[in-house]
Amino acid sequence: GSLVLLAVALAAVMLPSPSFVSLPLADSTRAAQRVLAQGPQAVTQLRGGQPLHPVANAPAGGSLAAVAIFGAATLAVAGFGRFSRKQSSRTSLRALTEIGSVKLNLQAGKATPAPPVGPALGQFGANIAFFVKEYNAITADKAGNIVPVIVHVMSDRSFTLELKTPPTAALIHKAVGKEKGSGKAGTEIIGKISVDKLREIAELKLEDLTCSDITRAMKVIHGTCVASGVEVEGYDEWLATVFKKPESILDRYGTGKDNLPAPFNE
């Protein structure tokens, strides 16, 4: 709408006739087409080396009409520019917005569009075939393990993949050659692993655990072993050497207020 107003206003100054209101329809149409082809920059063009003055010699009625339309067109173009910039800014912002995420536990290198992948990604309109291809490519070296992935879907339907470490229970079951746990924790033992294997699993899972040192991570993994019916050989002996139980609170912290943990040492 703003471009049409601009074309009509500038048509009055581009044609030889000084009168805006007496232009034939065909001439006005051709002039408007020329202005639209030139774009909004036509406002600042010169004719014969002089600034455009559309109503210098026109009759009074035509001059007032040209001035009114020219002013309206100028305001419309300014508003159109602000609207375009605002719309472009909103469009750029939407392209960076995350509209949803979903976590999937899949076999490394063996993802397919079948459930759970298809329904989980289909609700966001993501490209399922492209996800399957990309996930299988980046997990090909982890074949045989379950590699969880968090799919972050953006507003333009693109997505990013965030791989996680395999579930702790799956690593323990694989270590003892079983597909699942016993289901009867503490009473039924489905297999045994060594302390070294426990440490290996703890090192793999450390980045996803809440603790920051390997010894406490091993205690966390041992808890999952107990729940799955897997015995860790030599665990009690290893635990006694790492976490020595103090005889009293003084043996643990020593004498003196400065040795107590905060806020008791203040």
Side-chain angles (χ1 to χ4, degrees), residues 1 7 18 25 34 39 59 64 85 89 135 157 185-186 220 236-237 246 261:
L25 179 59
R34 289 200 299 271
L64 292 176
R85 288 192 297 271
S89 176
Y135 175 83
R157 300 301 183 267
V220 173
D236 293 334
E237 292 77 7

Side-chain angles (χ1 to χ4, degrees), residues 31-121:
Q33 290 175 348
R34 289 200 299 271
V35 173
L36 286 176
Q38 295 177 15
Q41 292 80 5
V43 178
T44 61
Q45 290 181 351
L46 299 178
R47 182 177 64 185
Q50 299 296 327
L52 298 177
H53 296 292
V55 294
N57 300 316
S63 299
L64 292 176
V67 169
I69 296 180
F70 188 80
T74 303
L75 293 176
V77 170
F80 178 77
R82 290 194 299 269
F83 174 76
S84 298
R85 288 192 297 271
K86 184 183 295 185
Q87 186 180 38
S88 176
S89 176
R90 289 200 302 266
T91 301
S92 300
L93 183 61
R94 286 198 300 267
L96 299 176
T97 302
E98 181 179 330
I99 62 174
S101 63
V102 59
K103 183 176 181 180
L104 300 170
N105 291 331
L106 306 173
Q107 283 285 346
K110 295 183 179 181
T112 66
V117 175
L121 298 183

Side-chain angles (χ1 to χ4, degrees), residues 109-131:
K110 295 183 179 181
T112 66
V117 175
L121 298 183
Q123 62 180 323
F124 299 112
N127 190 324
I128 300 174
F130 184 73
F131 163 79

Side-chain angles (χ1 to χ4, degrees), residues 10 26 41 67 69 85 114 118 120 146 157 191-192 199 259 266:
L10 292 181
Q41 292 80 5
V67 169
I69 296 180
R85 288 192 297 271
I146 296 177
R157 300 301 183 267
K192 298 180 181 181
R199 179 184 296 273
N259 295 327
E266 298 176 357

Side-chain angles (χ1 to χ4, degrees), residues 165-176 193-207 209 214 217-218 220-222 224-225 230 232:
T165 56
T168 303
L171 294 174
I172 295 173
H173 299 160
K174 183 179 179 181
V176 296
I193 61 174
S194 64
V195 174
D196 293 336
K197 188 62 178 181
L198 180 68
R199 179 184 296 273
E200 179 183 335
I201 297 175
E203 291 174 348
L204 180 61
K205 293 290 299 181
L206 184 60
E207 61 182 271
L209 298 178
I214 191 63
M218 292 175 67
V220 173
I221 304 302
H222 178 261
T224 307
C225 290
V230 176
V232 180

